């Protein structure tokens, strides 16, 4: 099966780099700037005992010919529209598209262009970043992918993709209700993003001050209420796990959005927060803390756009 990875950043580079290193037929669709870095240094993955360098097969927009069997779609939400146009030549009648984005809005955009049948649901659980050299740095042990059909239930193609990627060293799980899995991650991502961006600190920084330990669970409860009202309640054990992460004393944990804010970069505020609040209003769910965090991030977005 020919695999195309759209984007070779911290997430796409990891989930495409391992199969490429294992000898699978993997190509990365990247922008010219990223292509130049990868041609000079290779695709490098480091951190937590991982030390891997791959010489990647690269294409840029306009160079795609013929369909691929599997497309891993891993770009920032702000680049979805252009990425959909760029990848179109690679989508054939049997292509399976697995998006690795957070949130839910991208599913509608991919469905509208390629049809619901082509698009699987995907949840990437990974903590990585790009360093100043453009190398992928693994920051936490967790690195896995969950996939499933949008409509739920078992699927032969999901099983085929699972076997293919698992055999190449990627930790892959399958789900009969991937939509719920995506909602559950969305709840967690917005909770940790709101907490660390609003407070401008790590989880440990927040919990170190009076009243700080209660803020994370309060934000989490708002996001979970939106998920429940949408028909995708977060199981109690996942809530308990998230609460523990959001209240762990001394924890250096923070969201990638927090790193974007601290370093003055644009964020995915509308894709992750704006869309969630739109759904909350439609479902009559009150989210005062998430509203405040969203305004904070929108101000940051406005300022960075001006810069």
């Amino acid at each position: 099966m020919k695999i195309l990875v759209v984007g070779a950043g911290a997430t796409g580079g990891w989930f495409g780099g391992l199969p490429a290193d294992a000898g699978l037929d993997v190509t990365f669709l990247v922008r010219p700037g990223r292509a130049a870095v990868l041609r000079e240094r290779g695709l490098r993955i480091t951190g937590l005992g991982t030390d891997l360098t791959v010489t990647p097969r690269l294409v840029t927009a306009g160079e795609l010919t013929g369909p691929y069997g599997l497309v891993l779609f891993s770009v920032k939400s702000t680049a979805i529209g252009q990425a959909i146009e760029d990848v179109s030549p690679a989508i054939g009648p049997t292509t399976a598209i697995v998006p690795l984005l957070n949130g839910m809005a991208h599913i509608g955009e991919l469905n509208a262009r390629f049809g619901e049948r082509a698009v699987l649901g995907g949840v990437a659980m990974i903590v990585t970043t790009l360093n100043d050299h453009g190398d992928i740095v693994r920051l936490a042990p967790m690195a896995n992918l969950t996939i499933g059909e949008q409509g739920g239930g078992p699927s032969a193609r999901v099983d085929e993709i699972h076997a293919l990627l698992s055999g190449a060293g990627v930790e892959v799980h399958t789900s009969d209700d991937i939509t719920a899995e995506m909602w559950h991650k969305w709840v967690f991502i917005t909770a940790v993003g709101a907490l660390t961006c609003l407070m401008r600190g790590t989880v440990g920084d927040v919990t170190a001050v009076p009243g700080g330990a209660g803020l994370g669970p309060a934000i989490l409860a708002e996001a979970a209420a939106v998920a429940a009202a949408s028909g995708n309640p977060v199981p109690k054990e996942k809530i308990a796990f998230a609460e523990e992460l959001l209240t762990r004393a001394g924890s250096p944990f923070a969201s990638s959005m927090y790193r974007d804010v601290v370093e003055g970069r644009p964020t995915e505020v509308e894709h992750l927060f704006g869309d969630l609040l739109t759904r909350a209003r439609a479902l009559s769910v009150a989210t005062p803390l998430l509203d405040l965090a969203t305004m904070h991030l929108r101000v940051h977005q406005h300022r960075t756009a001006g810069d």
Side-chain angles (χ1 to χ4, degrees):
M1 183 185 294
K2 292 175 62 179
I3 302 172
L4 179 68
V5 183
V6 185
T11 299
W14 172 273
F15 288 108
L18 295 185
D21 184 61
L24 298 191
D25 187 345
V26 179
T27 300
F28 294 88
L29 173 60
V30 293
R31 294 175 176 175
R34 183 62 172 153
V37 171
L38 294 174
R39 289 189 178 110
E40 179 183 350
R41 294 182 58 80
L43 177 63
R44 300 188 181 195
I45 303 175
T46 65
L48 301 185
T50 303
D51 187 9
L52 178 67
T53 301
V54 176
T55 301
R57 184 183 298 116
L58 306 173
V59 294
T60 55
E63 296 178 341
L64 286 173
T65 57
Y68 286 73
L70 172 63
V71 173
L72 300 180
F73 198 88
S74 179
V75 298
K76 288 283 190 180
S77 63
T78 51
I80 290 174
Q82 186 60 55
I84 286 175
E85 294 301 319
D86 293 345
V87 79
S88 294
I91 310 302
T94 61
T95 301
I97 303 170
V98 177
L100 305 183
L101 291 81
N102 296 317
M104 296 293 294
H106 60 280
I107 294 293
E109 295 183 62
L110 290 168
N111 286 349
R113 182 57 182 268
F114 303 117
E116 186 173 338
R117 176 70 181 86
V119 184
L120 299 174
V123 176
M125 301 294 287
I126 187 168
V127 185
T128 50
T129 190
L130 293 182
N131 65 17
D132 292 340
H133 301 294
D135 301 337
I136 299 165
V137 181
R138 188 179 184 184
L139 302 175
M142 175 177 57
N144 63 74
L145 174 64
T146 302
I147 60 175
E149 297 283 356
Q150 288 189 60
S155 165
R157 66 173 178 168
V158 168
D159 291 340
E160 181 182 4
I161 295 168
H162 173 269
L164 179 73
L165 296 181
S166 295
V170 179
E171 182 182 344
V172 185
H173 308 280
T174 63
S175 173
D176 290 340
D177 191 356
I178 193 64
T179 297
E181 297 287 345
M182 293 172 69
W183 264 98
H184 298 166
K185 187 187 179 185
W186 193 11
V187 166
F188 176 72
I189 288 295
T190 52
V192 68
L195 176 68
T196 56
C197 290
L198 190 58
M199 294 293 101
R200 290 295 185 95
T202 66
V203 167
D205 293 331
V206 178
T207 58
V209 302
L215 182 58
I219 296 172
L220 177 67
E222 290 186 2
V226 182
S230 76
N232 298 280
V234 183
K236 291 181 179 179
E237 62 272 17
K238 288 189 176 182
I239 291 291
F241 176 77
E243 286 183 341
E244 195 278 328
L245 284 179
L246 292 170
T247 58
R248 187 179 296 170
S251 172
F253 186 59
S255 70
S256 60
M257 186 174 286
Y258 165 75
R259 292 192 290 272
D260 289 337
V261 168
V262 169
E263 295 173 17
R265 296 192 297 260
T267 70
E268 298 180 290
V269 57
E270 297 305 330
H271 184 78
L272 294 177
F273 285 80
D275 186 35
L276 187 69
L277 294 190
T278 296
R279 295 171 191 251
R281 299 295 85 80
L283 295 166
S284 300
V285 178
T287 54
L289 293 172
L290 287 170
D291 292 349
L292 181 61
T294 303
M295 184 179 296
H296 173 84
L297 287 165
R298 282 173 171 162
V299 170
H300 169 79
Q301 198 80 349
H302 175 76
R303 185 169 59 246
T304 55
D307 293 338

